[in-house]
């Protein structure tokens, strides 16, 4: 099967360095395999969406030479597909209505127990998937072997929100299957979401992609890079500094090319996933990378 990868940003602001790392990393995996690279706009969180951000992200990616090989789809236009998947889960008794709030679950450490602790009310319910006692394991192409006991670490999780919106875990599984995604390359902040997605794939009879989780770009405070810290170098009119910094961050060799197309071509030829650092190795703070490329 032909390699099919994807980059799925949320339109909550301009493309920042952390998102560039995820975009470039997934693009390199796809191009090195001779496969397709597809951009999908994950715009289900309408409250956090910034007007014009989706168009800005796509324009910035294009300026960096990272163009989607297929038309960009938007999750907000795919509610019918998600509702069909929910119906299948409910019909097989894998999903159930739940009125539990976050405060209801606080005594349980935020983990939903096997039975709801809230009673049915007039307010709309969420839908949760039963995890039973499943332990999900998978081999991550960067982070190695991963195991998660869903019952102890996650509990029954929401796949459809009480505000009648599809939750991320279900939407991403449905979309990856619909688009024929064979390999998911993304940031390590989503590493612990993968077992839930694998469970949903099994319950819905969908193929499981290969996973690779990239190290996160950190700010000077060693936390996940915020967008305002990265705004300066991710500049559409001058992509070379940020591209070089992203390649170094991913452990890849950087050529002295003076045009982004030549830089990317060299990066594909020299790409070696084994050079990418694991999460357990703290990435270089972004401030240091900025100094190297200014």
């Amino acid at each position: 099967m032909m390699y099919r990868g994807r980059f799925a940003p949320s339109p909550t602001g301009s493309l920042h360095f952390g998102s560039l790392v995820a975009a470039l990393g997934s693009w390199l995996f796809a191009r090195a395999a001779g496969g397709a690279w597809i951009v999908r706009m994950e715009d289900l969180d309408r409250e956090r969406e910034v007007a014009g951000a989706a168009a800005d992200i796509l324009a910035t990616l294009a300026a960096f030479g990272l163009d989607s090989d297929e038309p960009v789809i938007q999750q907000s236009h795919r509610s019918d597909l998600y509702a069909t998947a929910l119906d299948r889960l409910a019909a097989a008794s894998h999903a159930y209505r739940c009125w539990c709030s976050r405060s209801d679950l606080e005594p349980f450490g935020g983990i939903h127990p096997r039975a709801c602790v809230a009673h049915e009310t007039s307010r709309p319910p969420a839908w949760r998937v039963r995890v039973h006692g499943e332990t999900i394991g998978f081999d991550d192409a960067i982070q190695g072997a991963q195991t998660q006991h869903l019952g102890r670490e996650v509990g029954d999780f929401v796949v459809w929100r009480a505000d009648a919106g599809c939750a991320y875990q279900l939407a991403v599984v449905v979309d990856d299957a619909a688009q024929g995604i064979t390999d998911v390359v993304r940031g390590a902040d989503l590493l612990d979401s993968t077992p839930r997605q694998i469970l949903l794939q099994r319950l819905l009879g969908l193929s499981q992609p290969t996973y690779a989780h990239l190290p996160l770009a950190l700010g000077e405070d060693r936390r996940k890079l915020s967008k305002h810290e990265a705004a300066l170098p991710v500049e559409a009119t001058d992509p070379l500094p940020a591209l070089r910094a992203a390649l170094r961050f991913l452990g890849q060799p950087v050529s002295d090319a003076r045009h982004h197309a030549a830089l990317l071509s060299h990066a594909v030829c020299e790409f070696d996933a084994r050079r990418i650092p694991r999460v357990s190795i703290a990435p270089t703070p972004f401030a240091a990378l900025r100094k190297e490329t200014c």
Side-chain angles (χ1 to χ4, degrees):
M1 183 180 296
M2 177 183 176
Y3 185 110
R4 288 175 63 81
R6 48 81 159 175
F7 173 57
S10 297
T12 56
S14 299
L15 193 78
H16 57 88
F17 184 75
S19 293
L20 175 63
V21 167
L24 180 61
S26 61
W27 185 89
L28 285 170
F29 268 91
R31 288 294 181 263
W37 186 74
I38 302 159
V39 176
R40 177 171 73 227
M41 200 60 61
E42 297 193 336
D43 59 347
L44 288 179
D45 192 345
R46 310 301 284 186
E47 291 185 0
R48 294 181 60 231
E49 183 174 348
V50 174
D56 180 67
I57 289 170
L58 295 176
T60 303
L61 288 172
F64 277 67
L66 307 176
D67 292 294
S68 178
D69 292 322
E70 296 179 7
V72 177
I73 67 168
Q74 295 174 272
Q75 286 187 329
S76 58
H77 297 166
R78 299 168 67 79
S79 295
D80 289 348
L81 281 176
Y82 309 143
T84 297
L86 176 63
D87 289 343
R88 289 178 58 194
L89 292 170
S93 298
H94 296 312
Y96 62 92
R97 292 181 178 88
C98 173
W99 285 266
C100 294
S101 66
R102 289 185 181 180
S103 59
D104 291 327
L105 299 179
E106 282 181 6
F108 304 91
I111 295 177
H112 195 283
R114 291 197 174 187
C116 287
V117 296
H119 298 293
E120 182 175 341
T121 68
S122 59
R123 71 176 185 270
W127 284 83
R128 290 182 183 270
V129 160
R130 305 180 196 276
V131 303
H132 302 293
E134 281 95 348
T135 295
I136 301 291
F138 67 99
D139 187 35
D140 189 90
I142 297 172
Q143 308 304 328
Q146 304 291 316
T147 303
Q148 187 180 75
H149 190 288
L150 289 174
R152 289 196 301 265
E153 300 178 50
V154 177
D156 294 355
F157 59 93
V158 173
V159 291
W160 201 275
R161 303 189 307 269
D163 62 2
C166 185
Y168 166 77
Q169 306 294 355
L170 180 58
V172 71
V173 164
V174 170
D175 286 335
D176 282 345
Q179 292 187 288
I181 301 301
T182 62
D183 294 75
V184 173
V185 180
R186 58 189 179 186
D189 53 328
L190 292 169
L191 188 62
D192 69 349
S193 287
T194 306
R196 278 170 278 178
Q197 293 167 19
I198 291 173
L199 175 62
L200 287 172
Q201 289 157 1
R202 293 175 181 177
L203 295 178
L204 291 167
L206 304 175
S207 298
Q208 178 183 320
T210 297
Y211 289 95
H213 287 83
L214 303 165
L216 298 179
L218 304 179
E220 293 182 66
D221 59 0
R222 309 299 289 177
R223 295 183 179 182
K224 185 180 176 182
L225 192 66
S226 65
K227 296 181 180 181
H228 70 272
E229 287 176 298
L232 179 61
V234 182
E235 174 56 58
T237 60
D238 186 20
L240 281 174
L243 280 174
R244 290 190 178 116
L247 286 169
R248 289 193 182 100
F249 183 87
L250 292 169
Q252 304 303 307
V254 181
S255 78
D256 58 0
R258 306 308 299 172
H259 190 274
H260 68 271
L263 183 75
L264 290 174
S265 178
H266 177 269
V268 172
C269 292
E270 298 295 324
F271 178 66
D272 185 349
R274 294 171 296 183
R275 297 191 184 107
I276 299 174
R278 290 189 174 192
V279 173
S280 57
I281 302 173
T284 304
F286 181 67
L289 288 171
R290 182 186 311 186
K291 292 174 184 176
E292 289 179 14
T293 55
C294 286

